């Protein structure tokens, strides 16, 4: 069994202290015979005094602790987020508390045993046949009470606690799924922002080439200053857009780092947006997805567990006024300190007790009514959760299908825009095209690049949302890591 961390830290210190003590003994032990030795020379004594006046040397710097492992993929980010997220940790603690409460409820089926040890001094009043006197006693006694039979109240309370345990565990599962979805969405958005930066960087280079071509044509006398100014304006606009996209990428990188429990200033090299998103040729039928969500969604299962717990509580409240049959037993012994004339006395009792509440106001009636209303409300909330889960599956399904179509269309748009920009650039270099046609074609190419990047990112986000809506926790698709991209 490995030693605790504190023990591992203290052990080198203890070893060092022991070594110093042994070394000190070996050095100081001969000092007992100083009087038998000759005194040191004066120069040695002066050197010793000067050495003692010097400040002690600075301690050697301790090595810095190794930095945490740098995340390299989406799986690494999700793992770090699950370790650091306080919400998932709170839901895990809620599940532990609910499990402890369920264990406490099961104690209702066990007997209750208690012991007392009184020591008292009392004054007994005088009666016609006996004068008043004082006595001092001490003793010990034990009582046992065990409920044998009720109308199902204990079983209903245990069922309520068990259903609340299920709800707490499902709440933890839902929190984990939500965290995974947030990390995936932020991850895809960050990769999309970096891809947009790269695309805009290519647009800046194209604008610089167009400006150089316009200046060359102006020097050759086949273009006017207006062409140069328009090309320069397009270059400035492209650079401005690049700066804005770089800022958005940094914001998303900080958000992703914070989700993973890292400082927002950390550099993240977690891959690039896949250049070729594989679009599913055919999605599963939406009816099958709805059935899967109804069976696996932690949100819906949690709402149903809460409704079952409320129904069990209503059953317990409805029989709270019922009779209870219990087994009771007790035994005790009393010793008299004063007066000593009395000897010790032993008493015991055993029997069955039937408790029947007759009247306790109208509180039990109103408690039962409130519990039944709360159970009906919880059942209605479970129906609402079922509708929300179904709507989430439907919306995510349609979003994913639309995103797949957008990817295909964006690819065609990018191909045609690239060809159009190449033709416009060639026509302008040959002197048969205008600068306005060239800039318009380049602007269309820039827009097509951005739309194609956004379409790929939207498809990945839609896939993650559909995975979450159907109640799954695994990552929806493998993402390329920084190592494989290079």
């Amino acid at each position: 069994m490995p030693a605790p961390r504190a023990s591992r830290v203290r052990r080198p210190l203890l070893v060092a202290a022991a070594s110093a003590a042994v070394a000190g003994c070996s050095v100081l032990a001969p000092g007992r015979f100083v009087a038998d030795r000759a005194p040191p020379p004066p120069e040695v004594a002066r050197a010793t005094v000067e050495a003692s006046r010097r400040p002690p040397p600075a301690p050697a710097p301790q090595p810095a602790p190794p930095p945490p492992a740098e995340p390299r993929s989406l799986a690494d980010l999700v793992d770090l987020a699950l370790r650091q997220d306080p919400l998932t940790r709170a839901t895990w603690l809620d599940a532990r508390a609910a499990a402890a409460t369920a264990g406490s409820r099961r104690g209702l089926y066990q007997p209750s045993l208690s012991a007392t040890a009184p020591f008292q001094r009392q004054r007994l009043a005088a009666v016609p046949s006996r004068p008043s006197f004082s006595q001092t006693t001490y003793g010990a006694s034990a009582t046992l009470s065990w409920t044998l039979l009720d109308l199902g109240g204990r079983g209903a309370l245990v069922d309520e606690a068990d259903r609340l345990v299920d709800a707490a565990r499902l709440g933890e599962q839902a929190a984990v799924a939500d965290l995974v979805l947030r990390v995936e969405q932020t991850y895809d958005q960050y990769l999309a922002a970096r891809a947009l930066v790269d695309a805009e960087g290519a647009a800046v280079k194209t604008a610089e080439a167009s400006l150089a071509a316009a200046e060359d044509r102006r020097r050759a006398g086949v273009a006017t200053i207006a062409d140069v100014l328009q090309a320069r304006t397009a270059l400035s606009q492209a650079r401005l857009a690049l700066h804005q996209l770089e800022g958005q990428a940094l914001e998303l990188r900080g958000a992703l780092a914070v989700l993973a429990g890292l400082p927002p200033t950390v550099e993240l090299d977690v891959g690039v947006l896949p250049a070729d998103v594989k679009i599913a040729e055919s999605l599963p039928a939406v009816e099958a997805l709805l059935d899967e969500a109804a069976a696996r969604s932690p949100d819906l299962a949690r709402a149903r567990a809460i409704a079952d717990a409320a129904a069990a509580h209503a059953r317990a409240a409805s029989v709270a006024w019922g009779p209870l049959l219990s087994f009771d037993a007790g035994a005790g012994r009393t010793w008299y300190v004063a007066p000593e004339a009395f000897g010790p006395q032993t008493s015991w009792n055993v029997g069955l007790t039937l408790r029947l509440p007759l009247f306790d106001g109208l509180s039990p009636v109103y408690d039962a009514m409130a519990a039944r209303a709360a159970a009906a409300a919880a059942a209605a909330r479970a129906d609402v959760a079922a509708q929300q889960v179904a709507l989430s599956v439907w919306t995510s399904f349609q979003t994913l299908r639309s995103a797949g179509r957008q990817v295909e269309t964006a690819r065609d748009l990018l191909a045609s825009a690239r060809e159009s920009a190449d033709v416009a650039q060639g026509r302008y270099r040959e002197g048969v095209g205008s600068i306005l046609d060239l800039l318009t074609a380049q602007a269309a190419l820039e827009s097509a690049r951005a739309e194609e990047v956004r379409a790929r990112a939207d498809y990945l986000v839609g896939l993650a949302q559909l995975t979450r809506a159907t109640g799954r926790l695994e990552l929806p698709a493998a993402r390329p890591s920084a190592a494989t991209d290079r």
Side-chain angles (χ1 to χ4, degrees):
M1 179 177 180
R5 185 176 183 274
S7 301
R8 294 198 300 267
V9 173
R10 288 195 298 267
R11 187 171 299 167
L13 300 180
L14 294 176
V15 172
S19 302
V22 173
C25 292
S26 63
V27 172
L28 295 178
R32 293 178 295 176
F33 306 98
V34 170
D36 299 336
R37 295 185 177 181
E43 59 274 8
V44 175
R46 286 194 298 271
T48 304
V49 172
E50 292 177 359
S52 63
R53 291 177 178 176
R54 297 194 191 104
Q62 297 294 331
E70 181 183 357
R72 306 288 294 177
S73 64
L74 175 59
D76 295 341
L77 291 170
V78 170
D79 181 66
L80 288 175
L82 291 175
R83 294 183 183 183
Q84 303 292 335
D85 183 58
L87 180 58
T88 54
R89 184 167 62 251
T91 55
W92 177 75
L93 294 173
D94 289 340
R96 293 192 61 184
T101 302
S104 176
R105 289 286 177 86
R106 279 173 170 75
L108 297 174
Y109 285 99
Q110 300 173 358
S112 174
L113 179 64
S114 62
T116 59
F119 181 87
Q120 60 183 0
R121 172 79 174 176
Q122 60 181 348
R123 177 76 176 177
L124 300 178
V127 295
S129 62
R130 184 191 63 197
S132 63
F133 68 98
S134 300
Q135 67 178 11
T136 302
T137 61
Y138 70 92
S141 63
T143 58
L144 173 68
S145 180
W146 193 357
T147 301
L148 302 178
L149 184 64
D150 61 2
L151 295 183
R154 292 178 299 172
L157 291 177
V158 171
D159 289 342
E160 178 191 8
D162 290 341
R163 299 292 80 75
L164 290 178
V165 171
D166 295 339
R169 290 174 178 171
L170 291 166
E172 178 189 2
Q173 184 178 349
V176 170
D178 290 337
L179 178 61
V180 171
L181 178 60
R182 290 200 304 271
V183 174
E184 289 185 46
Q185 289 177 332
T186 310
Y187 175 81
D188 292 330
Q189 292 170 359
Y190 171 58
L191 296 187
R194 289 180 53 183
L196 288 174
V197 169
D198 296 339
E200 195 62 33
V204 169
K205 293 181 180 179
T206 302
E208 290 174 350
S210 300
L211 176 60
E215 290 176 346
D216 291 342
R217 291 193 61 187
R218 179 174 178 272
R219 284 190 295 268
V222 294
T224 63
I225 189 61
D227 291 356
V228 175
L229 294 178
Q230 289 179 351
R232 190 172 297 166
T233 300
L235 176 60
S236 299
Q237 291 175 346
R239 287 174 176 172
L240 178 61
L242 177 62
H243 296 328
Q244 293 174 347
L245 292 173
E246 288 174 344
Q248 295 175 4
L250 290 176
E251 292 177 2
L252 290 170
R253 189 192 71 183
L256 183 60
V258 170
L259 275 177
L262 301 173
T265 56
V266 70
E267 295 287 341
L268 292 179
D269 189 6
V270 290
V272 296
L273 190 69
D276 185 14
V277 177
K278 295 182 179 180
I279 307 301
E281 296 181 358
S282 61
L283 294 175
V286 68
E287 292 80 7
L289 295 176
L290 290 172
D291 294 340
E292 182 180 2
R296 300 183 57 172
S297 173
D299 304 297
L300 178 55
R302 180 175 180 271
R304 290 172 176 170
I306 292 176
D308 293 341
H313 182 76
R315 292 199 309 269
S318 63
V319 298
W321 52 267
L324 297 176
L325 179 63
S326 62
F327 171 77
D328 297 315
R333 187 173 178 83
T334 303
W335 288 269
Y336 292 87
V337 178
E340 298 180 355
F342 296 99
Q345 297 181 359
T346 302
S347 62
W348 60 272
N349 66 283
V350 62
L352 297 175
T353 303
L354 178 64
R355 296 180 178 87
L356 180 61
L358 297 178
F359 183 74
D360 193 14
L362 296 178
S363 297
V365 177
Y366 284 112
D367 290 342
M369 293 174 58
R372 287 193 295 268
R381 293 189 184 95
D383 294 338
V384 173
Q387 294 176 352
Q388 291 176 347
V389 168
L391 179 60
S392 178
V393 171
W394 174 260
T395 304
S396 302
F397 177 81
Q398 299 300 333
T399 300
L400 181 61
R401 188 167 64 174
S402 176
R405 295 172 179 173
Q406 291 176 9
V407 169
E408 299 292 343
T409 304
R411 288 173 181 172
D412 297 339
L413 176 63
L414 178 59
S416 60
R418 186 178 289 116
E419 293 178 0
S420 176
D422 293 340
V423 171
Q425 187 174 10
R427 286 173 55 84
Y428 185 73
R429 290 184 181 277
E430 295 296 331
V432 295
S434 65
I435 189 64
L436 183 59
D437 294 338
L438 176 60
L439 296 180
T440 301
Q442 290 177 352
L445 176 60
E446 178 183 354
S447 177
R449 284 172 176 164
E451 290 297 331
E452 196 271 338
V453 169
R454 294 190 182 96
R456 282 184 283 155
D458 290 344
Y459 182 81
L460 295 176
V461 170
L463 188 60
Q465 291 176 345
L466 183 59
T467 303
R468 170 64 181 92
T470 53
R472 298 185 180 183
L473 287 178
E474 66 269 14
L475 300 181
R479 308 297 174 85
S481 63
T484 58
D485 291 335
R486 295 185 180 139

